[in-house]
Amino acid sequence: MTQTSSQEAAAESSPSEPSVPSRRELNKAATRSSIASAALGLLRSKGSGNFTVEDIAASAGVSRRTFFNYFPSLEAALASVADGFMDHALEQFRLRPADESILESAQAALMALADPMSVAPMAELFSLTHDNRQLARSELEAWEHCTEQIIEAARSRLGVGISELYLHALAGSVISCGKAAMTVWFADRGPDLSAESLAVLRQHLIDAMGLLGAGFAPPSDPPSTAPAASPSVPTTTDRF
């Protein structure tokens, strides 16, 4: 085989090979993670409203300018601590069979995250910001980012021709279930971030996906008690 043929063969095979992050990409990811960790550490130690962007930058060992190269605000830096959980969950989601329903895949992805500590970043962010109206923006930004990731994951599974209304309704429903699970967990456990407590949160998330997939039909209700469907509204057996 000539050199040209070898190069062409390599070029043809390269698209199927997994891309390896460059050193620059790895360094950027490490800097971003360092800034987010510094923000969360200051929130833990100083409490909300008692530190600034400059404090975060100093703690992370970067300049103020570098901070703003990665995050538009203090709240955005805090929100990013939830990225790891979503990244891991979506990795598991993408491993699920393509013919499986979206919600079954979502539930299975959460079950695959067997370590309850995987939900710790989101749980801690919720615990530290829930009673502060300004920092609640951090939680909101985290949920919005999760919504965007869910939409893209679902679009990748279902194809570009899928209804945007479907995608946004699906993602919004999933996020609402996640918020419900977090709220119920926090009301019961408070700021407890022990492995036992986080295992409860993980199970709430799994159960919430199950409820959504079942159409929120109460398990105890017999079929005969279900109200008749309005003749003006078509019924469907479709599930997400």
Side-chain angles (χ1 to χ4, degrees):
M1 181 181 291
T2 65
Q3 182 178 2
T4 301
S5 299
S6 299
Q7 290 173 341
E8 290 174 350
E12 291 175 355
S13 63
S14 60
S16 61
E17 297 175 357
S19 59
V20 178
S22 67
R23 181 178 296 276
R24 176 180 174 82
E25 290 172 330
L26 291 173
N27 287 341
K28 288 179 67 176
T31 300
R32 180 181 175 86
S33 178
S34 176
I35 294 171
S37 296
L40 185 60
L42 288 169
L43 181 60
R44 289 191 198 112
S45 62
K46 294 192 172 185
S48 59
N50 296 318
F51 60 97
T52 65
V53 164
E54 287 76 13
D55 294 329
I56 296 172
S59 180
V62 300
S63 67
R64 185 177 187 273
R65 180 177 179 178
T66 298
F67 175 96
F68 284 111
N69 284 338
Y70 287 87
F71 299 104
S73 65
L74 182 154
E75 291 80 15
L78 286 170
S80 71
V81 303
D83 288 354
F85 169 74
M86 278 303 299
D87 288 345
H88 293 147
L90 289 171
E91 283 175 10
Q92 294 300 322
F93 174 86
R94 294 185 180 102
L95 294 174
R96 302 300 303 170
D99 59 350
E100 188 175 62
S101 77
I102 294 290
L103 291 177
E104 286 176 329
S105 293
Q107 191 174 37
L110 290 169
M111 292 175 69
L113 300 177
D115 182 3
M117 297 306 291
S118 63
V119 299
M122 287 194 72
E124 185 170 17
L125 180 65
F126 185 91
S127 300
L128 293 172
T129 62
H130 80 285
D131 61 349
N132 184 286
R133 297 187 67 178
Q134 181 178 0
L135 289 182
R137 290 172 51 197
S138 302
E139 184 194 343
L140 179 60
E141 289 198 32
W143 287 121
E144 288 179 348
H145 182 56
C146 291
T147 301
E148 293 169 2
Q149 290 182 294
I150 292 169
I151 289 173
E152 289 309 312
R155 180 182 287 115
S156 177
R157 165 78 69 87
L158 300 172
V160 294
I162 193 68
S163 163
E164 286 297 311
L165 176 60
Y166 175 91
L167 290 173
H168 283 77
L170 169 64
S173 298
V174 169
I175 291 300
S176 292
C177 284
K179 290 179 179 179
M182 196 79 71
T183 299
V184 170
W185 165 78
F186 188 78
D188 182 43
R189 295 283 180 157
D192 180 6
L193 297 176
S194 65
E196 178 187 2
S197 175
L198 293 174
V200 172
L201 173 57
R202 172 181 170 272
Q203 190 61 49
H204 282 339
L205 291 167
I206 292 170
D207 292 344
M209 290 302 102
L211 289 171
L212 181 55
F216 291 102
S220 59
D221 283 1
S224 59
T225 62
S230 168
S232 62
V233 179
T235 58
T236 178
T237 58
D238 290 346
R239 286 287 182 266
F240 289 116

